[in-house]
Amino acid sequence: MFNSILTLIRGRAYDAEQAFIDRNAVPLLAQQIRDAAVAIQSARRAVAIAVAQNEQEKSHYSAIVGRIADLETRAVAALQKGNDELALEAAEAIAQLEAERDASEKAQAQFNQTIGKLKATVRASEVRLQELQRGERLARATEQTQKLNVACDDKSGLATLDDAEETLARLQAYQNRCEVAASVMKEMDAASRPATIVEKLANAGFGAPLSPSADEVLTRLRERMNSAA
């Protein structure tokens, strides 16, 4: 019985832990991505340091090869002059330098192998990080959409989209009515002016015309032509 209780407690603790992780999955993912980005940056620095050290080793190797060549030339000259003692000392120095040269070659080979592996690891990690970052952006967008859906379903909270659309339609209808009323008022105001009424009466033939007609102008011109003749 006691073991069953312990098992049940562990099971509920596990369920609670998983539920907590699910509720906070997005911020947890974001922090994990930040940690991964820091680790990748550290790996980049390690690659850069390894490359720099390898370059130093190459320079050291070149210097050793140069010293060996110089000593060999001098040792040959000593042998040619019959100075075997100095030639022997040069040979001993050359042997030491050759051992150092061989060790440098091995170190460079190890550096090259390590650098190659580090670069491959960094490149693969960068690709995975980019995929995770895209996934995080999609997860955040999905989370915001889900929150919006919940807000729309909650009728007791803020106005829903349907309510907002209805309000907009009523506002537009009211504005249209205002525009029509203003247009009618403008026409009525113009029609009630005395000058407008006089113009309407004159155009209907009541009273003298307000402006000469084309026929009147033509008659006047004919009269002027006849009087001139």
Side-chain angles (χ1 to χ4, degrees):
M1 181 67 180
F2 182 72
N3 290 335
S4 298
I5 293 175
L6 289 179
T7 302
L8 179 61
I9 292 174
R10 289 199 305 272
R12 289 183 175 178
Y14 177 81
D15 291 340
E17 179 184 358
Q18 295 303 310
F20 177 81
I21 292 175
D22 290 340
R23 288 193 302 271
N24 298 276
V26 173
L28 178 62
L29 174 62
Q31 184 57 46
Q32 290 171 336
I33 289 175
R34 284 192 290 269
D35 293 341
V38 171
I40 291 175
Q41 188 62 31
S42 298
R44 288 197 192 101
R45 285 195 294 268
V47 172
I49 292 172
V51 170
Q53 291 175 339
N54 193 35
E55 291 300 319
Q56 290 179 347
E57 191 63 38
K58 289 179 180 179
S59 298
H60 181 60
Y61 177 83
S62 298
I64 293 173
V65 171
R67 291 173 61 188
I68 290 173
D70 180 64
L71 280 172
E72 286 178 345
T73 301
R74 296 178 186 277
V76 169
L79 287 173
Q80 290 174 346
K81 295 293 185 179
N83 195 333
D84 295 343
E85 184 177 353
L86 283 177
L88 179 60
E89 291 181 7
E92 292 174 351
I94 290 171
Q96 293 177 356
L97 289 172
E98 287 178 344
E100 189 174 350
R101 179 199 61 193
D102 294 342
S104 179
E105 287 179 349
K106 292 180 181 179
Q108 289 181 62
Q110 291 176 351
F111 269 124
N112 289 329
Q113 185 178 9
T114 301
I115 290 171
K117 290 181 179 179
L118 286 174
K119 286 183 176 180
T121 300
V122 170
R123 283 194 296 268
S125 299
E126 288 173 342
V127 171
R128 294 173 63 189
L129 178 63
Q130 291 172 357
E131 290 293 335
L132 284 170
Q133 289 171 337
R134 283 191 288 268
E136 181 200 1
R137 290 194 294 269
L138 179 60
R140 287 189 180 278
T142 302
E143 184 182 48
Q144 293 301 320
T145 303
Q146 291 172 346
K147 288 181 179 179
L148 179 61
N149 291 334
V150 172
C152 290
D153 293 337
D154 185 9
K155 300 299 182 180
S156 63
L158 300 175
T160 63
L161 290 177
D162 291 339
D163 294 335
E165 289 170 350
E166 182 180 354
T167 302
L168 176 60
R170 293 179 59 184
L171 175 60
Q172 290 174 338
Y174 171 75
Q175 290 174 340
N176 291 335
R177 290 197 301 270
C178 289
E179 290 179 359
V180 172
S183 178
V184 172
M185 290 295 294
K186 185 177 180 180
E187 292 179 358
M188 293 175 61
D189 182 60
S192 65
R193 292 177 184 173
T196 303
I197 297 174
V198 170
E199 183 179 358
K200 287 183 178 181
L201 289 170
N203 291 336
F206 303 110
L210 297 180
S211 60
S213 64
D215 292 337
E216 291 176 347
V217 173
L218 183 60
T219 300
R220 186 174 67 249
L221 292 176
R222 284 176 177 171
E223 291 176 352
R224 184 184 301 174
M225 182 181 65
N226 291 333
S227 63

